[in-house]
Amino acid sequence: MFGKTHFSILMASAVASLAMLSAGNAQANLILNGDFSANASSYTNFPGYSTSPNPASPTDWVVDTPASEGVNGPDTGFYAVNGSPFAPASTTGVNDFAFMQGGQIFQTVTTTAGQAYTLTYDAGARSGTPSTLNTVAYDQVNNVAITTQVPNISDSNFALFTLDFTAASNSTTIAFQDTGGTPDVSNVSLTPVPDPATLGLAAVGSLGLLLLKRRKAV
């Protein structure tokens, strides 16, 4: 007999299987050094510009104006002495971060054409300095911007922002451009968006296997 109790147990197992499947499909972050901590300790001179003797740019990132972009935060060699010259008034949820005073920082990653992606990041502005920022997903192959976001950043604290886009080629650049003041960025993450249809088919398959297993057990 296949009663209500058995059905409830089966459904609970199916839900658990789907949760495990979803977790298994979670994609790794495509952005390297998204929290800017990889070489933060190498920034030893106030105020953290990416010029000698500091590194040319944060690890895995490119800067186009080396005298104006750098790394700030508790892991830098100057932070404890000189404070945080470019941070918002509060830095809740953020440790190290990149700052810009003109120019941009960017990183190019391998993507799949037609695949949807989600970019998340924390952004803020230097305390007491009204700042603006452009966040751009740029198609390197076709040499065109896919989408641009202008986050409403604050000098009181970092805030979380999300940008969804679909890649147009196998090479996409994520860029943060200073368009005024001193914007800050940290906790950058780029992940593929799982296909709902694929997850649905997998869930149906899991339920079917559970039904078959239950029938054999009876």
Side-chain angles (χ1 to χ4, degrees), residues 154-187:
S154 168
D155 67 349
S156 62
N157 203 351
F158 282 91
L160 177 64
F161 297 94
T162 299
L163 177 62
D164 296 317
F165 67 91
T166 299
S169 72
N170 64 358
S171 183
T172 302
T173 293
I174 301 300
F176 297 98
Q177 304 171 340
D178 174 21
T179 56
T182 307
D184 307 316
V185 174
S186 189
N187 298 331

Side-chain angles (χ1 to χ4, degrees), residues 36-83:
F36 298 94
S37 64
N39 68 342
S41 61
S42 298
Y43 289 84
T44 57
N45 282 8
F46 178 91
Y49 290 126
S50 50
T51 55
S52 181
N54 292 320
S57 63
T59 298
D60 299 309
W61 292 86
V62 179
V63 302
D64 68 353
T65 313
S68 298
E69 289 106 45
V71 174
N72 204 189
D75 291 332
T76 59
F78 62 87
Y79 186 91
V81 175
N82 296 295

Side-chain angles (χ1 to χ4, degrees), residues 14 202-214:
V204 171
S206 297
L207 181 58
L209 288 174
L210 286 169
L211 284 169
L212 180 61
K213 181 178 180 180
R214 180 63 190 175

Side-chain angles (χ1 to χ4, degrees), residues 118-167:
T118 295
L119 173 70
T120 60
Y121 59 97
D122 288 308
R126 181 180 183 178
S127 180
T129 304
S131 304
T132 53
L133 174 72
N134 279 356
T135 303
V136 183
Y138 191 87
D139 175 17
Q140 285 293 115
V141 174
N142 298 301
N143 199 30
V144 64
I146 301 169
T147 185
T148 299
Q149 182 181 62
V150 183
N152 183 21
I153 60 177
S154 168
D155 67 349
S156 62
N157 203 351
F158 282 91
L160 177 64
F161 297 94
T162 299
L163 177 62
D164 296 317
F165 67 91
T166 299

